[in-house]
Amino acid sequence: MHIVQAKSILSAKNGMNLYRGCSHGCIYCDSRSDCYQMNHLFEDIEVKGNAIELLEKALKSKRKKCMIGTGSMTDPYIPLEAKLGNVRKALELIERYGFGFTVITKSDLILRDLDLLKRINEKTKCVVQMTLTTFDENLCSRIEPNVCTTKRRAEVLNILRDNGIPTIVWLSPILPFINDNKDNLDGILNYCIEAKVYGIICFGMGLTLRNGNREYFYSKIDKIFPNMSDKYKKIYGNNYVIGSPNNDKLMDYFYSVCNKNGIVCNIDKLFEYCSTFEEKSLCEQLAFFLI
């Protein structure tokens, strides 16, 4: 890790990145792409040393309450967070000043902060977004090697359900010729149904590759499935979107299961839900004490 002093912490849309870089080791990670201009090794985590100070200043200056988001570029619950605790410090400020919160993660470390997530959700809205890509535990441990597997993430979703915290699953990415099949989709959807997730974000069956993450992905996927990169290159060339040939069939099935089980799958509605601040009434706040 290395420490930098940041000029600001919140984006125009109230997103924050306490860290840059990641140690989860997911072989498909888009954040490795050259376009993000990360001028350090991806695993050499950049820590914003003044992030908490900047966040408090920003929250104090806000005229209106809003949702604060994190995790779009770097999973905030990397192992380093267990040592530094910057996400927890940020949550304490968000709860203290009455803001909402949403996070995208793959890590069960989020359960460490369950008390704060519940307190935020009692007053306004706290939405946990969890990425699920691969039902097969062995494959999951190989393509996402340094983070808890899908089964454990499903357990986290169930715990959040039991504590009244709304959840959304990112069903992404799906790797063509590897896990773009009905068995994989069924396994993930069954986890979502059991956890009573609010919604599932899915842009389609496939993944995206661009300069930086493409080379890393190919080097890693060939170690798991020898010569698979040759197949990808032959079919997709240097395309950004690597769509599954099973996309239409699987997406039809995905929509039918979501609609049958009352799971929101309209991406625009889900993004709007995550970004819309809601202040709960006194009756709603009291209801949380009964959970």
Side-chain angles (χ1 to χ4, degrees):
M1 60 167 265
H2 63 281
I3 299 174
V4 300
Q5 297 300 303
K7 294 181 179 179
S8 62
I9 191 61
L10 290 182
S11 70
K13 294 185 178 181
N14 301 305
M16 66 176 178
N17 285 303
L18 301 170
Y19 307 112
R20 289 196 78 197
C22 186
S23 55
H24 286 343
C26 304
I27 69 171
Y28 50 74
C29 183
D30 177 71
S31 294
R32 291 181 181 273
S33 300
D34 295 343
C35 63
Y36 299 119
Q37 299 180 332
M38 198 172 295
N39 299 317
H40 57 85
L41 292 175
F42 195 68
E43 287 77 14
D44 179 18
I45 310 300
E46 181 177 283
V47 180
K48 297 177 181 179
N50 58 340
I52 303 306
E53 177 184 341
L54 288 173
L55 179 61
E56 182 162 26
K57 183 178 179 181
L59 295 180
K60 282 182 176 180
S61 67
K62 289 281 186 185
R63 292 185 178 181
K64 292 183 179 180
K65 297 292 193 296
C66 62
M67 296 291 288
I68 305 297
T70 190
S72 59
M73 278 294 297
T74 296
D75 191 329
Y77 285 105
I78 52 179
L80 186 61
E81 165 60 20
K83 176 182 177 182
L84 298 182
N86 284 336
V87 177
R88 184 165 182 86
K89 294 171 187 174
L91 284 171
E92 288 171 345
L93 290 176
I94 291 167
E95 190 272 333
R96 184 187 310 163
Y97 290 103
F99 286 77
F101 180 68
T102 185
V103 58
I104 305 171
T105 186
K106 293 183 175 108
S107 176
D108 58 355
L109 180 57
I110 193 171
L111 293 179
R112 179 202 63 186
D113 298 331
L114 183 59
D115 59 329
L116 286 168
L117 301 178
K118 288 176 65 177
R119 276 153 51 188
I120 292 171
N121 201 50
E122 287 167 6
K123 293 188 291 185
T124 172
K125 185 167 66 182
C126 177
V127 184
V128 174
Q129 304 175 61
M130 184 73 70
T131 301
L132 306 181
T133 67
T134 306
F135 181 69
D136 183 282
E137 290 288 281
N138 179 263
L139 179 60
C140 181
S141 66
R142 301 179 78 182
I143 68 172
E144 301 166 336
N146 303 323
V147 68
C148 64
T149 61
T150 302
K151 182 178 180 180
R152 175 57 178 162
R153 290 176 224 169
E155 291 172 353
V156 172
L157 289 171
N158 290 338
I159 292 170
L160 295 169
R161 173 204 63 203
D162 293 343
N163 283 275
I165 296 172
T167 56
I168 289 173
V169 161
W170 283 70
L171 180 55
S172 174
I174 299 297
L175 309 183
F177 316 114
I178 296 172
N179 64 347
D180 57 338
N181 55 70
K182 187 174 179 293
D183 286 344
N184 183 56
L185 186 56
D186 266 331
I188 293 173
L189 289 175
N190 286 336
Y191 278 147
C192 294
I193 293 167
E194 180 185 4
K196 297 181 180 179
V197 302
Y198 177 83
I200 303 175
I201 293 173
C202 180
F203 294 97
M205 299 295 154
L207 76 157
T208 59
L209 295 177
R210 45 188 162 188
N211 293 343
N213 80 312
R214 180 185 292 110
E215 294 79 4
Y216 185 83
F217 174 76
Y218 283 162
S219 70
K220 295 297 182 180
I221 201 65
D222 279 346
K223 293 180 180 179
I224 306 171
F225 299 96
N227 303 315
M228 180 61 75
S229 66
D230 290 338
K231 186 172 184 178
Y232 273 52
K233 292 172 187 176
K234 182 178 180 180
I235 296 173
Y236 303 106
N238 286 328
N239 290 355
Y240 170 57
V241 177
I242 311 299
S244 165
N246 300 324
N247 178 77
D248 292 349
K249 179 174 63 176
L250 291 176
M251 288 304 295
D252 285 345
Y253 182 69
F254 166 74
Y255 289 129
S256 69
V257 173
C258 287
N259 292 333
K260 180 180 178 181
N261 290 278
I263 298 173
V264 179
C265 55
N266 182 292
I267 294 173
D268 290 337
K269 288 183 178 180
L270 290 171
F271 283 162
E272 181 180 5
Y273 176 74
C274 288
S275 63
T276 302
F277 177 81
E278 302 172 9
E279 195 159 21
K280 290 186 170 70
S281 67
L282 179 60
C283 289
E284 288 175 310
Q285 292 184 42
L286 290 175
F288 275 95
F289 290 102
L290 302 177
I291 294 177

